[in-house]
């Protein structure tokens, strides 16, 4: 059952990308926007599907990835609430180069391109925010290529843990506890590691007394030592 348009309108108003956009323009975008509820494992779209809009995560987690001919999966991004995806291919009028699937029960908004294009023409600040988002995505891609090319598996895992700490508590020091956002298998794929390699690195960090692991719950005993251990 499709929720009331007022619910979608209110959700759009809370998204950073639509901050300070005129209410009339938000109403126009909301009129064509649809919610999509996904259960864990559901696919939002497949590689090769036409891109006629973009998506924003309201709640839950969405993974972007692709599969090899042998059936192996490579996760290229993990997206959470208020994060958008699919803008670039929408602008290029090309099919999606990856699939999108729910890691947990999730809710996303599908925002059609037509009202977005009109808003881009009329609102320079909205255009700048969308360009900033695309630029940040490109910057992250360059960082990924650098990491895969120049950093060891140990450095990648420590970098991921430090990033998780920064997102949950950027001012933290010393002992910190975090919960990993998803499974070891997905994190390993995101870091371009095999699950076995990821487990070996995690086990080494435990042996060194740097972390303790209980499922997805990680205790970092000393942030300074963890940063230094990565070199």
């Amino acid at each position: 059952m499709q929720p009331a348009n007022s619910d979608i309108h209110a959700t759009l108003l809370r998204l950073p990308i639509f901050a300070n956009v005129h209410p009339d323009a938000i109403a126009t975008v909301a009129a064509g926007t649809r919610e999509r509820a996904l259960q864990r494992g559901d696919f939002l779209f497949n590689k090769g599907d036409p891109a006629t809009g973009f998506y924003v995560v309201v709640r839950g987690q969405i993974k972007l990835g692709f599969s090899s001919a042998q059936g192996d999966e490579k996760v290229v991004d993990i997206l959470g609430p208020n994060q958008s995806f699919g803008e670039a291919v929408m602008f290029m009028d090309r099919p999606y180069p990856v699939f999108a699937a729910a890691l947990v029960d999730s809710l996303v908004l599908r925002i059609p391109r037509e009202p977005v294009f009109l808003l881009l023409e009329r609102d320079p600040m909205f255009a700048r925010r969308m360009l900033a988002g695309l630029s940040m995505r490109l910057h992250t891609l360059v960082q990924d290529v650098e990491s895969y090319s120049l950093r060891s598996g140990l450095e990648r895992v420590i970098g991921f843990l430090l990033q998780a700490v920064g997102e949950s508590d950027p001012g933290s020091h010393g002992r910190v506890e975090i919960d990993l956002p998803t499974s070891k298998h997905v994190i390993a794929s995101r870091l371009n590691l095999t699950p076995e390699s990821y487990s070996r690195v995690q086990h080494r960090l435990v042996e060194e007394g740097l972390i303790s692991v209980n499922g997805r719950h990680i205790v970092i005993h000393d942030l300074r030592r963890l940063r230094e251990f990565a070199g």
Side-chain angles (χ1 to χ4, degrees):
M1 177 175 159
Q2 177 62 35
N5 186 262
S6 59
D7 295 339
I8 293 177
H9 187 275
T11 301
L12 291 176
L13 287 173
R14 293 193 298 267
L15 297 175
I17 192 173
F18 290 108
N20 302 316
V21 172
H22 193 278
D24 290 344
I26 292 288
T28 300
V29 175
T33 297
R34 297 291 180 267
E35 286 188 343
R36 175 84 179 273
L38 301 166
Q39 294 185 334
R40 178 182 178 182
D42 285 350
F43 279 79
L44 181 61
F45 55 76
N46 287 294
K47 179 181 178 180
D49 286 350
T52 57
F54 74 101
Y55 293 88
V56 177
V57 182
V58 178
R59 64 173 179 265
Q61 285 182 329
I62 301 294
K63 67 177 176 180
L64 305 181
F66 52 85
S67 300
S68 69
Q70 293 74 33
D72 297 323
E73 182 178 281
K74 173 66 180 80
V75 176
V76 298
D77 209 350
I78 302 169
L79 301 148
N82 295 334
Q83 290 185 288
S84 60
F85 57 100
E87 303 96 321
V89 287
M90 175 187 73
F91 286 123
M92 295 187 297
D93 196 23
R94 298 182 63 179
Y96 291 114
V98 295
F99 68 74
L103 285 169
V104 297
D105 292 351
S106 303
L107 180 69
V108 301
L109 296 181
R110 180 193 176 276
I111 303 174
R113 63 184 173 193
E114 290 78 10
V116 172
F117 286 175
L118 287 174
L119 188 53
L120 287 169
E121 294 173 359
R122 298 172 182 175
D123 189 335
M125 289 305 298
F126 175 74
R128 288 180 63 180
R129 281 192 294 274
M130 183 155 280
L131 282 172
L134 291 172
S135 298
M136 183 59 69
R137 200 73 52 80
L138 178 60
H139 181 66
T140 300
L141 178 61
V142 172
Q143 286 183 316
D144 284 348
V145 172
E146 178 185 19
S147 176
Y148 302 156
S149 303
L150 302 176
R151 301 178 70 191
S152 67
L154 175 68
E155 290 169 331
R156 288 179 231 169
V157 172
I158 291 177
F160 182 83
L161 294 175
L162 294 176
Q163 182 183 31
V165 170
E167 291 174 351
S168 63
D169 187 3
S172 57
H173 300 283
R175 186 179 186 275
V176 181
E177 297 186 28
I178 58 173
D179 290 303
L180 297 179
T182 186
S183 68
K184 176 180 71 174
H185 180 86
V186 173
I187 294 172
S189 180
R190 178 69 183 88
L191 298 176
N192 206 33
L193 297 169
T194 64
E196 294 77 16
S197 295
Y198 178 87
S199 293
R200 283 195 294 271
V201 170
Q202 195 176 70
H203 183 67
R204 181 180 175 188
L205 295 177
V206 170
E207 286 188 325
E208 294 287 343
L210 293 166
I211 67 172
S212 297
V213 180
N214 183 12
R216 294 187 186 179
H217 187 71
I218 306 289
V219 177
I220 300 173
H221 299 293
D222 189 324
L223 269 178
R224 180 186 58 81
R225 282 188 61 214
L226 186 65
R227 291 189 182 101
E228 292 175 351
F229 195 75

